[in-house]
Amino acid sequence: MPRFCANLTMLFTEYPFLERFGAARSAGFDTVEVLFPYDEPAPLVRDMLNRNGLTLALINCPPPNYTGGARGFAAVPGAEERFRHDFRRTLRYGQALGAHHLHLMAGVAEGAAARATFIDNLRWAAAEAPTQSLTIEPINPVDMPGYFLNDFDLALEVLEAVAAPNLHLQFDAYHAQRITGDVMGTWDKCRHRVAHVQVGGFPGRHEPAGGDIDYPAFFARLDAEGYDGWVSGEYNPAGRTDEGLDWIG
């Protein structure tokens, strides 16, 4: 089976944030991701990781939590300095935690100027942190209206234009299903650029089981093709998190 990890922003929310690390370890995870961990000091989060024997797969840029605010700035013309400031802060925080990937959020924008801004900012970030793995992720326009990177073909074009060895695609099967209606076909098109996978049921974004996505077949495909990255459960549990983990088996 793939290497599974738990998204602690969405899973184990029965517990306060810092207690979710222990809950994930007790449920059998050895890796977690946190979309926006910035409300807590990095040394405290690092202590929770170390105490529970966990590694950190991914965090998002920009900080802090975007609830009610912008969805990133990487593709927003005129916000280049904001993006660079946020990136440097995320990089410091992520390195303190040993985060394997930093997901760079494009933000709400459109058009040729946004595309050019996105490419320029990604080139800058990749050169600024050449040993850090960076990702971009297509996000569907229903869940995040106006988000610039809402198409997998566009993501592949951007990755080709940036041409940085440390910039990769983050493949969320839930978003792929909502954008294209064809997870397997989209995976086939994109898999050569994918460094991190996220999963959630469709529709509803609950446990990745049943519904319109054949997850057993998808996981078997990942195994057969030798995908060696993490597969993160990024979904809203229908009940208690630990009662809905049968999809991993």
Side-chain angles (χ1 to χ4, degrees), residues 61-93:
C61 174
N65 193 313
Y66 64 48
T67 302
R71 271 50 171 169
F73 301 95
V76 180
E80 290 84 355
E81 287 306 313
R82 173 65 186 269
F83 168 77
R84 295 182 183 198
H85 174 270
D86 285 346
F87 177 79
R88 291 188 178 108
R89 182 180 171 195
T90 298
L91 183 62
R92 292 193 299 270
Y93 196 100

Side-chain angles (χ1 to χ4, degrees), residues 124-138:
W124 174 86
E128 183 78 2
T131 63
Q132 173 67 58
S133 175
L134 309 174
T135 66
I136 58 173
E137 175 191 15

Side-chain angles (χ1 to χ4, degrees), residues 33 38 50 54 62 72-73 82 92 109 147 151 157 223 236:
E33 67 177 19
Y38 306 102
N50 291 339
L54 297 167
F73 301 95
R82 173 65 186 269
R92 292 193 299 270
Y147 192 74
D151 180 85
E157 291 172 8
D223 276 345
N236 300 304

Side-chain angles (χ1 to χ4, degrees), residues 36 60-62 66 71-75 103-107 139 144 147:
F36 299 98
N60 280 359
C61 174
Y66 64 48
R71 271 50 171 169
F73 301 95
H103 168 215
L104 308 184
M105 299 193 72
I139 297 177
M144 200 171 288
Y147 192 74

Side-chain angles (χ1 to χ4, degrees), residues 91-191:
L91 183 62
R92 292 193 299 270
Y93 196 100
Q95 289 179 338
L97 302 182
H100 190 77
H101 303 298
L102 302 183
H103 168 215
L104 308 184
M105 299 193 72
V108 174
E110 63 180 352
R115 185 181 187 278
T117 299
F118 196 37
I119 290 169
D120 287 346
N121 278 334
L122 293 174
R123 283 176 177 157
W124 174 86
E128 183 78 2
T131 63
Q132 173 67 58
S133 175
L134 309 174
T135 66
I136 58 173
E137 175 191 15
I139 297 177
N140 80 80
V142 176
D143 286 48
M144 200 171 288
Y147 192 74
F148 173 74
L149 191 61
N150 60 9
D151 180 85
F152 283 87
D153 289 333
L154 175 59
L156 293 177
E157 291 172 8
V158 168
L159 289 170
E160 185 70 21
V162 176
N166 58 327
L167 181 65
H168 312 283
L169 185 67
Q170 184 171 318
F171 184 92
D172 187 308
Y174 166 81
H175 289 303
Q177 180 67 21
R178 190 171 283 283
I179 292 169
T180 72
D182 181 9
V183 170
M184 292 296 197
T186 307
W187 171 260
D188 287 342
K189 181 187 297 185
C190 299
R191 63 189 180 191

